[in-house]
Amino acid sequence: MTRLRTAILISGRGSNMDALIAAARAPDFPAEIVLVLSNRLDAPGLAKAKAAGVAVAAVDHKIYAGREEFERSLHAMLEIHRIDVICLAGFMRILTPWFINQWRGRMLNIHPALLPSYRGLHTHERALADGVKIHGCTVHFVVPEMDEGPIVAQAAVPVLDGDTAETLGARVLSQEHVIYPLALRLVASGAVRVEGNRVLGALPQSEATLVAPEEISAMPAGCDGDQTV
């Protein structure tokens, strides 16, 4: 089996990076994590990735005159490592259309909301302010428009009485760690692919999770937890 050479781009601690590296240790996983790349030399995730046996590198965006100059160095580093697929995992830089188009159809991102709702930042605070009852996370292909790429996988969690942005965010994060490895496996295996603005291929029914089963028992009495795809 040919495993796709995968790079993870981070800016911080890289909790989703941990989940992807752990999943890729399985011998039948169709992607191999060969590089963790950051725009910050002090990103804590770099040390964790190195300890896990993954090559690491940093390209400091602050030393470049503009975004595209930085991205050309980023692109060169990815080419040196013969990368097939990129996973953005807390990479806190807005990417230009130039870079995105170099990797279109080969770059994934995870967003802490059920797109198309709550694009951008502060998703948990906004969901709580709106009083929604279901929140979650989305893995999607990256396109030049922010958080608008074709969706590969989603997971939802209930919003509980008394939730704060921190408690809700922790519940969502636990599901990010489930669906990001799932989405990478589906893309790397060819089970799903992007064509234009559509994702072709079906999510296996056994893994088509919306409301996380372990959270249903925590829902307030009287709530209908039967949410299925």
Side-chain angles (χ1 to χ4, degrees), residues 3-212:
R3 305 175 74 195
L4 294 189
R5 295 176 62 83
T6 303
I8 303 173
L9 271 56
I10 65 170
S11 293
R13 59 195 174 95
S15 69
N16 273 300
M17 174 199 76
D18 292 339
L20 291 167
I21 290 174
R25 290 195 183 105
D28 62 345
F29 197 84
E32 178 185 10
I33 310 301
V34 299
L35 177 67
V36 170
L37 183 56
S38 180
N39 65 305
R40 290 181 49 196
L41 280 66
D42 61 348
L46 292 175
K48 292 196 295 179
K50 187 175 182 180
V54 178
V56 300
V59 178
D60 186 356
H61 68 275
K62 295 189 296 293
I63 68 173
Y64 292 89
R67 290 186 184 276
E68 190 168 319
E69 291 83 357
F70 160 68
E71 291 173 355
R72 287 187 182 276
S73 290
L74 201 68
H75 180 71
M77 183 67 69
L78 294 164
E79 287 194 318
I80 288 169
H81 287 268
R82 308 189 313 279
I83 298 303
D84 299 308
V85 177
I86 296 173
C87 291
L88 304 180
F91 186 67
M92 303 305 291
R93 298 292 298 169
I94 295 175
L95 295 168
T96 68
W98 177 85
F99 184 86
I100 291 170
N101 286 329
Q102 305 303 309
W103 295 93
R104 194 153 187 163
R106 298 187 293 151
M107 181 159 52
L108 298 171
N109 182 48
I110 188 149
H111 182 72
L114 289 172
L115 294 174
S117 298
Y118 304 116
R119 297 184 176 101
L121 300 175
H122 309 300
T123 60
H124 310 316
E125 292 88 344
R126 290 157 61 197
L128 288 171
D130 286 346
V132 301
K133 300 304 182 185
I134 297 293
H135 190 46
C137 49
T138 303
V139 180
H140 63 95
F141 285 99
V142 178
V143 298
E145 299 77 21
M146 182 180 291
D147 299 330
E148 291 190 13
I151 291 170
V152 180
Q154 292 183 301
V157 299
V159 179
L160 306 180
D161 290 342
D163 260 335
T164 64
E166 290 72 26
T167 60
L168 180 56
R171 191 176 306 116
V172 170
L173 185 63
S174 71
Q175 293 308 301
E176 293 181 32
H177 296 166
V178 174
I179 67 166
Y180 212 172
L182 166 62
L184 177 57
R185 176 161 59 83
L186 292 171
V187 171
S189 68
V192 301
R193 69 186 190 280
V194 66
E195 187 174 292
N197 291 321
R198 298 174 56 218
V199 168
L200 304 181
L203 193 68
Q205 186 61 39
S206 62
E207 298 178 7
T209 303
L210 276 185
V211 172

Side-chain angles (χ1 to χ4, degrees), residues 206-229:
S206 62
E207 298 178 7
T209 303
L210 276 185
V211 172
E214 66 270 25
E215 300 296 346
I216 292 174
S217 62
M219 296 178 75
C223 284
D224 181 8
D226 183 19
Q227 303 285 335
T228 57
V229 171

